Every structure is written in structure tokens, then in C-alpha cells.
Amino acid sequence: MDGRLFLGVADNNQSAVAVVGDSGGRIVATSVGRSINHQRHGISQARENLRDLLARTVGSQGWESLERVCFTYKSDLITSDHEMAGVVHGVLDVTEILVENFARSCTLGMRTDRDRMLLVGGQASLVVFENMEGLRFQMREDPMVWDFQRRLQEKLNIGCGFSGHEELSELLELDGVQLGELVVSVDNLARKGNLLALELVHEVAHDLVYLVIKMARHFQSFDPVIGLYGRVLFGSQLVYERVCHLLGLLFPHARVQEATMAPAKGAYLSTLEERKSPAEPEVMFDSPLLWGNLEQRGWQSGANGYQVAERNDQQVF
């Protein structure tokens, strides 16, 4: 241990998750803040959001200990280290800025000696898989097909006149409704017996599972670790339960678990990899320090009983 710290940031265009650890792979702090995507929010806002995220994660006294930072973006539109210089310089004095591919961050953040997969169900629908030999594969749904709000509108168009149509259509009339809020509202209606809402959440769940099925041809064994990530997956109890149930039937030897921090952990680990620092897998996978820190920083159990991360109305997924 040399006293220096390393920062990994995963951004989904709505929010950013930060993981800070030392050179030995020990996670010491985490936080959730607003997006640092300057392409979407502008340089000025991105810099302000980065300052806020740093203050939440390491405080005003911890910035000087940060040696390297790595960003990963779910949109994969930001790929250049130089592009991030305008956001970081003047805010954070680090020796090196890295940008990691999102798919690689996902699998790197799920350190295990088994085949590993991250199933993403949020603004995007995709699955990232890496086998034990390090071969990585990625598959995603067409954004226009997956878009939850569009799917809701199509369901209303088809189900015009059906029972529950009116209360479901009211959700699209709300101004400024965020994806997470929309998913929770649809799930609530489905659990109250709204048939159109129930059809929608089950179709979404089946589409997510079908992504896993298509990716399964790359499995070297049928006991992979499958991580779950995304606001649709965690915003809807019915989607979550259906996905877990079907995956359990299809792959009874697989381990299905929540992996909300995997991309940020992977970005942090990239800083160590570049530095050629030794890292201990058992520390970085399901670290007690990580989850203890999350509890201290406002991670709460959602109404559905699953862990949902919220900070200043920003959801991590």
C-alpha cells in the first residue's frame, strides 16, 4: 500500500456511480451523483457534477490522494481519454485519465473464476458475457424496440378500450416523468390487477431473458454468475421476480445476483490494471466495505424489497 487512491466512475447519462480504492484492490468509498456526460449536459455542468461526486465520495480533504481516474459510459459515445481532459483538469489533479469500454468494465467488476454475465435492463437492454478464457461477447436490443415508454404507448394503442386503459394512459400524460418513476408506476398497476400493465412487464421480462438465452451459446459451462443491472429490472418487482424465476428454471446451476456497482468497480480496477498493481479478487468482489459504505451513503431498500440506489432523485441504474 502506498497511500494513493484510485477512482472509477460509471455513467449512464442520468447519474454517475463512483468507487474509490487503494492500490491493493481494497474499496474504501463509494457514492452516487449526477451524470458527468459532457456531451449531454455540457462541460460546465459536467465539471460541477464531478466536483459534487468527489465531495460525496472522498470529501474535501481526499482529492489530493487520487492518483488516477477511469470513466466508463454506458452509451459508449465517449471513448477518448483526451476528451475527458476538459472535464477533469482544474477539478481534479491526477496523473492520468482513462476511459474504459463499458462492456469490459461490466465483466471486470464481476470478478469471479466462473463465466460471468451482466444483464442490463434500463434505458438500454443489453447483455455482456465473458468466459473463463477472457473472450467477451455483447448483444443488445434495438433501442427503438426496447424503449419502455414507447412500448407502453404501443400497448395502449393495441389495448384501446380494454379495462385499465385509462389509468395506464394517465402515466404518459405526466410532465417530466423519469424512467424509474414510470417503471415503478406501471409495476404498481400490474400488481393491482391492471391486465395491460401486467402484459407489459411480463413481455419486458421475457425479452431480457431471451437475451440471456441467445448469449448462452457462448457458455463453456452452465453455472455462470449472472449479474442484474438497470432501472427497469430494479424498478419493477414483477420484472425482477420473473427474470430471476425464468433464469433459475433455464440455468439451475447459475448464480443470479444484483450487480449495481459492477461497471464502477470495473472502472476502478482498470486503473490498477494499467498501473500493474496486484489486486486481491476476494476483496473486490462483494466487498463488505463496499456494501457497508453504501448503507452509510443513502442506499435504501425499495418498496419491492430489493436494493435500489437513490441520491438526490438520481438512480444509479
Side-chain angles (χ1 to χ4, degrees):
M1 304 293 179
D2 56 14
R4 306 300 289 175
L5 297 177
F6 303 84
L7 170 66
V9 178
D11 194 291
N12 67 4
N13 299 330
Q14 299 293 326
S15 61
V17 180
V19 168
V20 173
D22 61 25
S23 59
R26 184 180 179 87
I27 294 173
V28 298
T30 63
S31 189
V32 181
R34 294 184 293 272
S35 172
I36 308 172
N37 187 337
H38 62 279
Q39 292 184 353
R40 179 164 183 168
H41 304 289
I43 289 285
S44 178
Q45 186 64 56
R47 288 168 61 85
E48 180 182 336
N49 293 348
L50 177 59
R51 288 191 185 94
D52 179 69
L53 185 65
L54 290 169
R56 294 170 182 272
T57 313
V58 296
S60 58
Q61 304 300 318
W63 297 21
E64 296 178 358
S65 299
L66 292 172
E67 180 172 310
R68 178 177 284 131
V69 58
C70 179
F71 297 90
T72 185
Y73 288 86
K74 190 167 71 172
S75 62
D76 274 338
L77 295 177
I78 300 174
T79 58
S80 168
D81 305 347
H82 298 291
E83 187 176 354
M84 292 303 300
V87 177
V88 175
H89 287 164
V91 177
L92 185 60
D93 184 19
V94 293
T95 58
E96 190 171 0
I97 303 167
L98 306 172
V99 176
E100 183 59 272
N101 173 270
F102 183 76
R104 188 171 188 276
S105 294
C106 291
T107 55
L108 190 59
M110 295 176 61
R111 292 183 69 91
T112 176
D113 58 358
R114 297 155 64 176
D115 288 354
R116 48 193 158 179
M117 172 185 292
L118 187 71
L119 177 62
V120 179
Q123 286 183 314
S125 169
L126 70 144
V127 60
V128 180
F129 172 74
E130 184 174 291
N131 64 24
M132 291 179 290
E133 296 177 350
L135 294 176
R136 190 180 308 110
F137 307 89
Q138 183 177 180
M139 187 180 301
R140 68 174 65 217
E141 288 279 4
D142 185 313
M144 298 298 287
V145 175
W146 168 254
D147 183 80
F148 190 85
Q149 187 167 342
R150 178 183 292 271
R151 293 177 73 136
L152 174 56
Q153 184 61 67
E154 290 175 352
K155 180 64 63 177
L156 290 171
N157 293 340
I158 296 172
C160 186
F162 281 67
S163 174
H165 182 277
E166 183 175 350
E167 56 184 352
L168 197 60
S169 63
E170 290 175 357
L171 299 180
L172 291 178
E173 298 174 3
L174 299 175
D175 293 330
V177 62
Q178 298 295 315
L179 174 62
E181 298 171 332
L182 183 62
V183 172
V184 170
S185 297
V186 170
D187 183 76
N188 288 336
L189 289 177
R191 287 188 284 117
K192 291 177 181 178
N194 186 301
L195 294 181
L196 292 178
L198 190 61
E199 282 185 5
L200 177 59
V201 296
H202 276 191
E203 289 170 2
V204 166
H206 291 172
D207 286 349
L208 288 170
V209 172
Y210 187 56
L211 273 178
V212 177
I213 293 173
K214 289 192 289 186
M215 187 62 78
R217 67 178 182 270
H218 298 296
F219 286 2
Q220 293 182 320
S221 63
F222 284 89
D223 63 343
V225 175
I226 303 176
L228 304 181
Y229 175 97
R231 283 179 286 176
V232 174
L233 262 169
F234 287 95
S236 170
Q237 178 180 352
L238 291 174
V239 170
Y240 186 98
E241 291 178 345
R242 188 69 172 172
V243 167
C244 290
H245 175 69
L246 292 175
L247 291 179
L249 293 176
L250 292 166
F251 310 104
H253 300 295
R255 187 172 80 203
V256 181
Q257 62 185 44
E258 298 177 15
T260 58
M261 297 296 293
K265 289 168 67 178
Y268 155 63
L269 292 176
S270 289
T271 66
L272 302 187
E273 185 179 61
E274 293 290 336
R275 189 174 181 267
K276 302 296 188 294
S277 294
E280 304 172 28
E282 68 273 12
V283 174
M284 293 177 292
F285 190 72
D286 293 338
S287 165
L289 274 178
L290 171 62
W291 297 113
N293 185 270
L294 289 176
E295 292 174 0
Q296 296 170 11
R297 293 181 176 272
W299 284 59
Q300 304 170 355
S301 178
N304 58 10
Y306 303 109
Q307 291 298 314
V308 177
E310 295 188 48
R311 193 63 182 266
N312 283 355
D313 299 324
Q314 298 293 327
Q315 286 186 291
V316 64
F317 311 115

